[in-house]
Amino acid sequence: ISRRVAGASSAPASGYGTDRLADDVREVMQSLNLQRPILVGHSFGGAERSSIGSRQAAKVSGLIYLDGGYSYAFAPPGFKPDPPPGPEVDIPPVMRAIVTGVQQYTHIPVPALAIFAVPRRLPLKVSDADRKQSAEMDKLTMIQADAFEKGVPTARVVRMPNAGHFVHLTNTADVLREIDAFVKGLKS
């Protein structure tokens, strides 16, 4: 599914909040008569998975987060969102709506697979500053992965080393193996 403003989808002036985007997914599920599908989302798509999983758990069999289980998808206890970027920062409406932290998902009762790319793969030639920044990001990712694992008891959390943010492209075989095991576990 291509969300609003992506690909050949429409680009309305409003309607980019996470719950609205998740409702778009639900409308597609209904129009295709999909009964309890497993939903897969990458990056910010994790927020939409959490919206559906927390508000309409009976409508899905499972949720898969591909490097998308960050604070916009699961807010651990005590989480304080960063202040939203000001209007002078030019970011797409979907990202602006998600990163403003309007929704905070704290209860996801649906079986989930959350794959985190950590520690991230670095290019062969990288500056010391970029290496340091990547190490800091890895530290924050580990904290979020631990919080997701602790706070979502229905989740299997995988920390996939030497992967990129597009983990399904950088580590395709590993991701497919994890998804296959997750799906088989749902059938039992």
Side-chain angles (χ1 to χ4, degrees), residues 28-100:
V28 170
M29 289 167 46
Q30 288 173 336
S31 72
L32 296 174
N33 197 28
L34 298 177
Q35 303 298 312
R36 300 204 47 184
I38 298 168
L39 299 179
V40 181
H42 170 254
S43 193
F44 283 126
E48 294 161 30
R49 302 299 76 85
S50 294
S51 174
I52 292 170
S54 64
R55 295 184 307 130
Q56 301 168 347
K59 301 290 185 183
V60 295
S61 295
L63 305 171
I64 299 175
Y65 300 79
L66 300 176
D67 210 31
Y70 295 97
S71 59
Y72 47 76
F74 173 71
F79 172 76
K80 302 278 189 268
D82 291 333
E88 70 282 355
V89 177
D90 186 28
I91 60 173
V94 171
M95 289 183 189
R96 180 174 295 283
I98 291 170
V99 299
T100 55

Side-chain angles (χ1 to χ4, degrees), residues 8-148:
S9 295
S10 64
S14 62
Y16 294 98
T18 303
D19 287 345
R20 176 63 250 175
L21 295 170
D23 290 343
D24 290 347
V25 173
R26 279 281 303 124
E27 288 173 22
V28 170
M29 289 167 46
Q30 288 173 336
S31 72
L32 296 174
N33 197 28
L34 298 177
Q35 303 298 312
R36 300 204 47 184
I38 298 168
L39 299 179
V40 181
H42 170 254
S43 193
F44 283 126
E48 294 161 30
R49 302 299 76 85
S50 294
S51 174
I52 292 170
S54 64
R55 295 184 307 130
Q56 301 168 347
K59 301 290 185 183
V60 295
S61 295
L63 305 171
I64 299 175
Y65 300 79
L66 300 176
D67 210 31
Y70 295 97
S71 59
Y72 47 76
F74 173 71
F79 172 76
K80 302 278 189 268
D82 291 333
E88 70 282 355
V89 177
D90 186 28
I91 60 173
V94 171
M95 289 183 189
R96 180 174 295 283
I98 291 170
V99 299
T100 55
V102 173
Q103 300 294 331
Q104 288 190 12
Y105 302 102
T106 58
H107 178 69
I108 304 165
V110 177
L113 170 64
I115 299 175
F116 289 86
V118 64
R120 290 194 190 269
R121 174 184 298 173
L122 292 174
L124 292 176
K125 293 184 180 184
V126 62
S127 72
D128 288 341
D130 287 343
R131 189 176 308 281
K132 184 178 178 182
Q133 182 181 18
S134 182
E136 288 299 316
M137 287 178 61
D138 284 348
K139 194 158 98 176
L140 293 173
T141 298
M142 287 299 282
I143 290 169
Q144 183 63 24
D146 292 348
F148 199 103

